[in-house]
Amino acid sequence: MKPKNPVSVYGWGSYVPPYRLTVAEISRVWGRDPVQYEEELNVKEKAVAGPDEDSATMAVEAGRNALSRAGVNPKDIGALYVGTESPPYAVKPTATTVAEALGVGPFSLAADLEFACKAGTEGLQATIALVSSGMIKYGMAIGSDTAQGGPGDHLEYTAASGATAIIVGPGSKDAAATLEGSVSFVSDTPDFWRRYAARYPSHGEGFTGEPAYFKHVEGATRALMEELGLKPSDFDYVVFHQPNGRYPLTAARDLGISPSALKVGLLSPMIGNTYAAASITGFSAVLDVAKPGQRVLVTSFGSGAGSDSFSFVIEDGIEARRDKARKVMDYVSKRVEIDYALYLKFRGGIRLGGGAK
Amino acid sequence: MTVPRYWRNIGAHYRLEGIRCKSCGEVSFPPRSSCPKCHSKDVEVVQLPRKGKVVSFSLLRSPPNGFEAYVPYYVVVVELENGVRVLGTLTDVFGEVKEGMEVEAVFRKISEDGEEGLIHYGTKFRPIA
Ligand SMILES: [Zn+2]
C-alpha cells in the first residue's frame, strides 16, 4: 500500500517502566531450570509496570515524549489511537483518557484498537491513511500494554509492560522519517486467545511459530520488498515483532537479512515482549540513533493473526528532534529488580481484603 | 471521590493546570473560580511547569482506604519552577528523599473505587535521576 500523498513521522516516544523481573526468578518460583529458559527464549528479564501504572498511564508518558519531538500543538492531533490488549476498563475507551491527559481534543478521533501484539501498528496504518487523505493534519498511534501470562505458563517469562507513540503528518524533509509503503497481511489463525471470562490467555500448543509468527511476519515483509522493489540489503535497520529474543533472528535468517540489522531494535532480551508496543518500541530505538538517508523496515505481528510491514527513509529533520525527549535506552538502562512476590503485588495477583474494619 | 467531582477536576489532575489572575497576575493551584490573593473572578486556566523541587515531605505508612497498594509513599509539597506550590505524592522512589530534590510530574493511577467503580488518574511526582 502506498499513501496518495506522502506521510512522514514527526514525533516518536517510548516508555518502559523501571521494574525488572528476571527469567531466573520466575524459574525459581516454578521449579524450572533458569539457564534453559533464558537460553531458549534469549530473554534475561522483563519490564513490569509499577502498582500505579496501567496501559493508559504508560501511553501518556510515551505520548508526551512523542509530542516533545514532534513540536506540534496537541490540539492539532486529529486522531489518536491506542492499541492495547490490556485496557484498564472493559468498557470505556483508553484513548479518551490518554487524549485528555495530553491535551488532545475535543475535536479529534479517538479509539482503542485490539489485535493482540499488532494493535499498535494498526493505529499507525489508520493514522497514515487519515493524514494522506487530508482529513487530518497530524495523527498519533500508540501501542501500550501491561501484558500478563498465566502463572507458570511459558508466556509469563516474557509478557512485559511498555508503550510507544508515533506522530505522523504530511510528508516533509524536516520530519524524522518518510513512509515508502506498507503491507498488511492477515488470516484466521488460532495461535493465542483469551475469552471474556478468562483472566489469562490460552495458546494453541505448537501453533505459535511456523503457522503464526513466521508465516505472517515473513509473508508481509516479502510482499513489501516486492512491492517497493527492495532487497534485504537495502535496509540499514530491521525491526520485527519480538515475542522473545529468538523469533526475530530466525525470521531474519529465513529472509536473508543480516542479524546486525536487527541489533538496535531488538529489545526483548532486555525487557521482554511489550505486546502492542514491541515492534514500534524497536522502531523508536532505531529513530533514536538512525542517520538521514538510512532505510528502516518494521514488521509487527499479532496473534489471531496478522502482520503490518512498513518501510521508512530517515529525513534530515531527525537530528533536531532526537534530543527533545528521553530515549528508549534511557528507560531500558534504568532498572530496579523486583522479586516474584512484589511482582504479584504490583500486578494485582494478590487478593486484598480482611483486616480491621 | 464522587464521579462529578472527579470529572470537574480533570484539567488540574491530569494536566497540572492552574489559574492565572488577570487582575493581579497571581498564578495558583488548584484552579478556583476566583483569585486567592485579590479575589478577582477574572481568571484564566494555565499550564503549570512540570518540573520542580521538594520543599517538604513526610512518609506515610497508614494510608486511607484505596491507597494500600502504594504504601509506603511520600506526601510532598513541591515548588514548581514558577514558584507555585503543589501538594502531591511521590512515585518510583529508589533513593533517599531530601528537601530540594528535583522532581517531574507524571500521569499515574491515584486510587480505584473498588473493583467496579472508576479508576482515578492524576499527577504524581517522580524524582529526576
Ligand atoms: Zn488576583
Side-chain angles (χ1 to χ4, degrees):
Chain A
M1 294 185 271
K2 281 186 184 169
K4 193 173 166 198
N5 296 299
V7 175
S8 292
V9 172
Y10 281 72
W12 71 98
S14 299
Y15 174 71
V16 180
Y19 304 100
R20 299 285 181 276
L21 181 63
T22 65
V23 166
E25 169 68 359
I26 304 173
S27 302
R28 179 186 70 82
V29 170
W30 297 112
R32 308 285 181 129
D33 176 355
V35 180
Q36 182 206 339
Y37 257 68
E38 238 181 71
E39 283 177 1
E40 257 177 47
L41 297 164
N42 186 26
V43 172
K44 201 163 169 46
E45 54 193 18
K46 64 174 191 172
V48 177
D52 59 359
E53 298 186 285
D54 62 20
S55 295
T57 66
M58 296 194 307
V60 169
E61 181 150 348
R64 202 174 275 289
N65 285 334
L67 280 168
S68 297
R69 289 198 173 104
V72 304
N73 184 336
K75 299 288 170 209
D76 292 331
I77 301 288
L80 188 155
Y81 292 106
V82 178
T84 182
E85 63 135 51
S86 48
Y89 288 91
V91 177
K92 188 176 183 299
T94 311
T96 52
T97 300
V98 174
E100 191 79 57
L102 294 174
V104 171
F107 295 102
S108 178
L109 251 172
D112 290 15
L113 297 175
E114 191 270 339
F115 195 139
C117 301
K118 187 176 96 70
T121 57
E122 266 181 278
L124 189 55
Q125 285 286 40
T127 48
I128 286 166
L130 287 162
V131 167
S132 177
S133 73
M135 283 178 70
I136 63 171
K137 186 160 186 204
Y138 298 105
M140 187 188 293
I142 304 177
S144 183
D145 262 314
T146 52
Q148 294 199 67
D153 185 72
H154 80 80
L155 289 176
E156 191 187 29
Y157 292 79
T158 51
S161 303
T164 284
I166 307 284
I167 296 172
V168 294
S172 166
K173 286 258 159 245
D174 297 328
T178 296
L179 178 79
E180 288 191 296
S182 63
V183 162
S184 289
F185 182 102
V186 299
S187 76
D188 186 336
T189 308
D191 59 324
F192 170 94
W193 62 89
R194 182 167 65 84
R195 298 281 299 275
Y196 270 111
R199 180 144 187 212
Y200 299 108
S202 306
H203 42 92
E205 198 57 49
F207 226 94
T208 50
E210 219 38 67
Y213 180 88
F214 295 108
K215 175 184 162 187
H216 295 82
V217 166
E218 293 173 13
T221 305
R222 278 201 185 93
L224 181 73
M225 288 195 280
E226 195 169 310
E227 187 176 325
L228 298 177
L230 296 170
K231 52 189 189 304
S233 59
D234 291 328
F235 294 98
D236 299 282
Y237 297 97
V238 174
V239 183
F240 291 138
H241 175 56
Q242 34 205 274
N244 51 52
R246 288 255 173 256
Y247 278 16
L249 295 167
T250 306
R253 189 197 60 205
D254 291 351
L255 290 161
I257 289 165
S258 156
S260 64
L262 290 184
K263 205 171 171 206
V264 171
L266 184 56
L267 304 166
S268 57
M270 297 171 282
I271 60 169
N273 177 8
T274 55
Y275 280 53
S279 57
I280 48 177
T281 305
F283 182 38
S284 179
V286 167
L287 292 172
D288 285 343
V289 301
K291 297 273 173 266
Q294 291 187 313
R295 184 178 275 119
V296 189
L297 172 74
V298 182
T299 305
S300 64
F301 170 73
S303 292
S307 284
D308 299 315
S309 190
F310 306 83
S311 175
F312 295 94
V313 174
I314 305 298
E315 296 286 7
D316 294 339
I318 196 166
E319 310 279 8
R321 297 168 189 272
R322 188 132 51 201
D323 296 329
K324 290 187 172 166
R326 285 197 180 97
K327 299 184 173 81
V328 172
M329 290 312 294
D330 295 335
Y331 287 108
V332 171
S333 60
K334 185 177 174 182
R335 57 181 291 285
V336 175
E337 224 173 288
I338 57 170
D339 63 10
Y340 198 85
L342 210 50
Y343 164 65
L344 285 184
K345 184 185 163 192
F346 279 10
R347 300 323 305 157
I350 300 174
R351 287 192 82 93
L352 297 174
K357 301 285 178 203
Chain B
M1 197 186 324
T2 64
V3 173
R5 187 167 158 229
Y6 173 71
W7 179 73
R8 272 198 309 275
N9 291 308
I10 273 181
H13 289 152
Y14 280 29
R15 296 187 295 271
L16 199 58
E17 285 173 355
I19 51 164
R20 197 186 74 87
C21 173
K22 290 184 179 177
S23 303
C24 76
E26 176 80 358
V27 178
S28 61
F29 182 90
R32 281 158 280 217
S33 56
S34 60
C35 172
K37 196 174 171 190
C38 75
H39 310 293
S40 161
K41 290 204 179 297
D42 193 13
V43 296
E44 62 178 349
V45 172
V46 290
Q47 175 63 57
L48 297 177
R50 298 185 62 83
K51 287 183 182 171
K53 54 181 200 284
V54 170
V55 292
S56 70
F57 62 89
S58 69
L59 184 62
L60 211 143
R61 290 193 188 269
S62 305
N65 285 342
F67 294 81
E68 295 86 352
Y70 314 125
V71 172
Y73 60 87
Y74 289 89
V75 176
V76 291
V77 175
V78 171
E79 186 175 292
L80 301 174
E81 283 172 343
N82 63 352
V84 171
R85 290 189 171 197
V86 176
L87 181 67
T89 58
L90 295 183
T91 189
D92 293 346
V93 177
F94 306 119
E96 197 191 340
V97 173
K98 293 181 196 151
E99 280 177 32
M101 184 174 79
E102 286 186 44
V103 293
E104 63 187 329
V106 289
F107 182 74
R108 293 295 171 96
K109 269 196 305 195
I110 304 295
S111 64
E112 291 178 41
D113 182 11
E115 287 204 340
E116 295 191 3
L118 275 185
I119 302 167
H120 300 138
Y121 292 102
T123 299
K124 292 185 183 179
F125 292 94
R126 173 174 67 191
I128 300 175

